[in-house]
């Protein structure tokens, strides 16, 4: 064999025997990275029939997104010209990969793929990249700690459709569909709260009220049986247990849109109400968001910050989002490691649909993963 032939053989051998990565698909809503992305993001959101069914939705989505784009662009302009959620998700994914390779060498190498619902990189983009990498094992890891049909549910339905579009049904799929009480997540949130409480004087600290703020839901979704409010409340309970219940607290809800009834009390109303009661020290904590985006940087920091100042709340503060916090990154890696070790396809809770669910896509997605459970059971036997 010539020198050239040996090199060619070795290169070919290395490529052909290279182990494909264990994919960790990070799902989230996403956010417009630039101001030019705002209208398409809004159009995709209002076109999503997994979360809302509107008459003439194709036309209404265009109308609503066009009408709302100028004001939403203005909000994004005030936080730097776009959402940082993609940047944070990449940093989280890269750091998580490294930790996973260390703590789970038997499933290494690990590679994260980002699957946003309403903006690039879309779910289709993630699956195309996975196909190119010859992925055989994929863990879908929702970046919403608490499950809602409007967030994780919609992402999983789109994932199922994308799997069918790309002919990737034969991959070994599994889902981490919620993690509202994971000890590492709770520790990371508690750490952010403790760090911010230290900024108060001892007298102010004892008097500070912790307001856990989460994205609200329309009452029509809540009454349908969505588990999200209960899971958010459980996260809050776990965090307060970790903190030793040293401060009074409330769970409040933000980001309501439109005239229909939403889950309350609204974060804005709570701030004004406590201000009227003479409370000066309010610590706002994003409890359902793990990365900074418009709901934290604009709504919590700027909008509610201004309202608090105008209402005379002199000790208004906001706990930092988890972002690339090392405790949180370790929690992410631990969640995936524990899932891999469990050999679980998906949690039992996920198969239970809302009692008043009328969305056909929720059924077909569950049917697909139910088959994966059966296949795994046959393999064991």
């Amino acid at each position: 064999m010539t020198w050239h032939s040996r090199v060619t053989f070795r290169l070919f051998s290395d490529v052909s025997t290279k182990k494909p990565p264990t994919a960790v698909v990070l799902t989230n809503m996403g956010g417009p990275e630039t101001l030019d992305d705002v209208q398409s993001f809004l159009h995709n959101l209002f076109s999503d029939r997994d979360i809302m069914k509107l008459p003439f939705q194709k036309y209404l989505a265009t109308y609503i997104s066009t009408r709302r784009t100028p004001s939403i662009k203005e909000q994004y302009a005030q936080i730097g010209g776009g959402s940082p959620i993609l940047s944070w998700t990449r940093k989280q994914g890269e750091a998580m990969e490294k930790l996973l390779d260390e703590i789970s060498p038997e499933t290494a190498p690990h590679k994260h793929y980002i699957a946003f619902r309403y903006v690039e990189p879309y779910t289709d983009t993630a699956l195309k990249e996975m196909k190119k990498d010859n992925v055989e094992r994929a863990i879908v890891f929702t970046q919403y700690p608490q499950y809602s049909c409007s967030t994780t549910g919609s992402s999983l339905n789109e994932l199922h459709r994308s799997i069918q579009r790309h002919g990737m049904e034969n991959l070994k799929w599994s889902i981490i569909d919620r993690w509202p009480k994971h000890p590492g997540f709770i520790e990371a949130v508690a750490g952010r709260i403790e760090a911010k409480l230290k900024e108060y004087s001892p007298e102010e600290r004892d008097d500070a009220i912790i307001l856990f703020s989460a994205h609200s839901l329309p009452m029509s979704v809540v009454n349908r049986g969505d588990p999200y409010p209960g899971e958010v409340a459980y996260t809050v309970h776990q965090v307060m247990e970790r903190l030793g219940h040293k401060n009074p607290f409330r769970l409040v809800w933000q980001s309501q849109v439109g005239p229909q009834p939403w889950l309350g009390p609204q974060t804005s109303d709570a701030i004004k109400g406590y201000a009227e009661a003479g409370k000066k020290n309010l610590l706002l904590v994003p409890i359902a968001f793990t990365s900074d985006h418009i709901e934290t940087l604009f709504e919590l920091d700027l909008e509610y910050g201004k309202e608090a100042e105008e209402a005379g709340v002199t000790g208004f503060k906001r706990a930092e989002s988890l972002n690339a916090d090392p405790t949180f990154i370790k929690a992410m890696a631990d969640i995936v490691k524990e899932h891999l070790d469990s050999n679980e396809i998906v949690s039992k809770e996920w198969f239970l649909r809302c009692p008043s669910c009328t969305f056909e896509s929720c059924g077909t997605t569950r049917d697909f993963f139910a088959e994966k459970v059966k296949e795994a059971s046959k393999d064991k036997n």
Side-chain angles (χ1 to χ4, degrees):
M1 184 182 289
T2 66
W3 176 85
H4 182 269
S5 299
R6 285 197 300 272
V7 171
T8 302
F9 174 80
R10 186 175 298 166
L11 287 171
F12 176 77
S13 179
D14 288 346
V15 171
S16 62
T17 59
K18 184 180 179 182
K19 184 182 177 183
T22 297
V24 183
V25 185
L26 305 177
T27 64
N28 208 327
M29 178 186 296
E33 197 172 12
T34 70
L35 296 182
D36 291 337
D37 300 325
V38 170
Q39 184 160 351
S40 62
F41 171 79
L42 292 175
H43 184 272
N44 291 337
L45 172 64
F46 289 107
S47 298
D48 185 358
R49 292 185 66 77
D50 286 320
I51 64 171
M52 65 184 89
K53 290 181 178 178
L54 305 172
F56 309 106
Q57 189 155 350
K58 178 181 177 181
Y59 304 101
L60 267 176
T62 300
Y63 172 74
I64 296 170
S65 60
T66 302
R67 192 178 57 135
R68 295 198 64 197
T69 290
S71 62
I72 302 300
K73 270 189 172 182
E74 190 175 314
Q75 292 178 12
Y76 276 107
Q78 291 185 55
I79 63 168
S83 173
I85 194 168
L86 177 58
S87 174
W88 282 123
T89 306
R90 281 179 176 147
K91 289 175 182 176
Q92 291 165 345
E94 289 165 1
M96 178 195 66
E97 287 172 7
K98 293 177 182 177
L99 271 181
L100 274 173
D101 287 348
E102 293 174 10
I103 66 176
S104 186
E106 64 276 13
T107 54
H110 303 86
K111 182 177 179 180
H112 81 282
Y113 300 82
I114 299 173
F116 283 162
R117 187 66 182 88
Y118 306 121
V119 69
E120 285 283 10
Y122 294 111
T123 305
D124 274 340
T125 303
L127 265 62
K128 285 176 184 175
E129 188 178 353
M130 289 164 61
K131 201 168 186 177
K132 189 173 72 174
D133 290 343
N134 298 312
V135 166
E136 298 172 358
R137 175 76 173 95
I139 300 102
V140 184
F141 185 9
T142 179
Q143 292 307 288
Y144 304 104
Q146 305 89 6
Y147 184 90
S148 173
C149 303
S150 300
T151 52
T152 300
S154 175
S155 288
L156 292 178
N157 289 342
E158 176 60 17
L159 172 79
H160 177 230
R161 290 188 289 265
S162 189
I163 288 171
Q164 292 179 312
R165 285 193 292 267
H166 295 281
M168 298 174 72
E169 293 91 342
N170 292 331
L171 264 67
K172 187 177 180 182
W173 291 98
S174 64
I175 305 170
I176 301 169
D177 59 276
R178 69 197 76 199
W179 32 283
K181 61 179 182 179
H182 189 274
F185 168 53
I186 301 303
E187 183 63 33
V189 175
R192 291 301 207 198
I193 294 171
E194 288 175 329
K196 193 57 64 170
L197 282 171
K198 288 179 181 177
E199 295 181 10
Y200 290 107
S201 69
E203 297 77 17
E204 293 171 332
R205 192 179 307 131
D206 291 340
D207 182 58
I209 297 171
I210 301 174
L211 295 179
F212 293 94
S213 188
H215 199 297
S216 187
L217 286 178
M219 286 307 298
S220 59
V221 176
V222 175
N223 293 335
R224 195 167 65 218
D226 196 293
Y228 173 75
E231 294 194 9
V232 174
Y234 190 69
T235 298
V236 169
H237 170 75
Q238 293 295 99
V239 171
M240 289 308 301
E241 285 281 296
R242 160 62 180 76
L243 293 172
H245 290 274
K246 294 175 183 175
N247 292 80
F249 71 96
R250 281 294 184 273
L251 171 55
V252 293
W253 306 89
Q254 66 181 88
S255 309
Q256 296 88 340
V257 178
Q260 63 179 314
W262 285 66
L263 181 63
Q266 294 186 23
T267 305
S268 177
D269 291 342
I271 291 170
K272 294 171 184 174
Y274 284 126
E276 290 175 6
K279 302 297 183 182
K280 300 294 184 183
N281 302 304
L282 302 179
L283 173 54
L284 217 52
V285 179
I287 196 60
F289 309 121
T290 59
S291 302
D292 272 324
H293 56 306
I294 196 167
E295 278 88 354
T296 59
L297 298 176
F298 178 81
E299 195 171 355
L300 295 186
D301 292 349
L302 301 182
E303 187 175 355
Y304 297 154
K306 182 179 179 182
E307 290 178 2
E309 183 181 4
E310 291 174 348
V313 178
T314 53
F316 178 84
K317 298 182 186 295
R318 199 263 287 184
E320 288 186 32
S321 298
L322 300 180
N323 293 329
D325 174 61
T327 303
F328 177 58
I329 300 301
K330 184 177 185 304
M332 290 179 68
D334 287 343
I335 289 168
V336 176
K337 166 67 172 169
E338 289 160 15
H339 176 78
L340 286 164
D341 290 347
S342 74
N343 291 316
E344 186 178 64
I345 302 299
V346 68
S347 71
K348 290 181 180 178
E349 290 90 344
W350 181 71
F351 280 113
L352 183 65
R353 293 171 64 180
C354 296
S356 300
C357 180
T358 58
F359 291 84
E360 184 180 343
S361 53
C362 293
T364 56
T365 300
R366 282 166 173 79
D367 289 344
F368 172 78
F369 283 98
E371 285 300 315
K372 290 294 178 184
V373 173
K374 289 179 184 177
E375 290 171 12
S377 180
K378 287 179 182 177
D379 291 342
K380 285 181 183 178
N381 298 330

